[in-house]
Amino acid sequence: MQDLLTSVGLKKTRQRTMILDILEQNKEPMSAEMIFEKTKDLSLSTVYRTLERFCKEGLAEKNRFDVEDTFFYTLSSREHSHYAFCLGCHEKIHVHICPVSQLQLGNFTVTDHRLELYGYCEKCRQKDLVK
């Protein structure tokens, strides 16, 4: 995994390796604060700078769920992805398909898009039924 750093021209540092390992171990999107909590001696600003550099180099993707005023990061899978966000428990559920990729817009060429899905997971819907 650390070869990813050198493959995009980044020097292997302890900080970058640590953050890369945390992202690799956690498949769910993580905020910089969540990553910071898992590090031993990095500053929060170092975590933010490293994540932004990873995004710039294509190693990580940054998503923002509008109900939370926070960015979440995942390792870039080199594969386009979206997430559904549970309004109850705040779980982030990976969506394995992209309905936008099927759109035919005539002469318009889509270069990027953002698709946000909000609702309730099965667990939270079950809780609502119990009340």
Side-chain angles (χ1 to χ4, degrees), residues 118-130:
Y118 300 96
Y120 294 93
C121 68
E122 185 176 351
K123 200 169 37 178
C124 289
R125 286 193 319 270
Q126 298 268 333
K127 285 181 196 175
D128 259 354
L129 295 174
V130 175

Side-chain angles (χ1 to χ4, degrees), residues 28 65 67-68 72 84-93 119 121 124:
E28 186 174 305
F65 302 100
V67 293
E68 293 188 6
F72 290 86
F85 183 83
C86 179
L87 296 168
C89 66
H90 297 191
E91 180 182 4
K92 294 144 198 82
I93 303 158
C121 68
C124 289

Side-chain angles (χ1 to χ4, degrees), residues 29-40:
M30 299 179 72
S31 68
E33 290 80 8
M34 294 165 75
I35 294 167
F36 171 69
E37 288 173 9
K38 291 185 173 283
T39 65
K40 298 198 180 1

Side-chain angles (χ1 to χ4, degrees), residues 16 69 88 97:
R16 288 176 180 162
D69 196 24
I97 60 168

Side-chain angles (χ1 to χ4, degrees), residues 6 23 44 48 53 66 70 76 84 88 93 126:
T6 55
L23 285 172
L44 184 56
Y48 272 111
R53 185 67 189 267
D66 280 341
T70 303
S76 180
I93 303 158
Q126 298 268 333

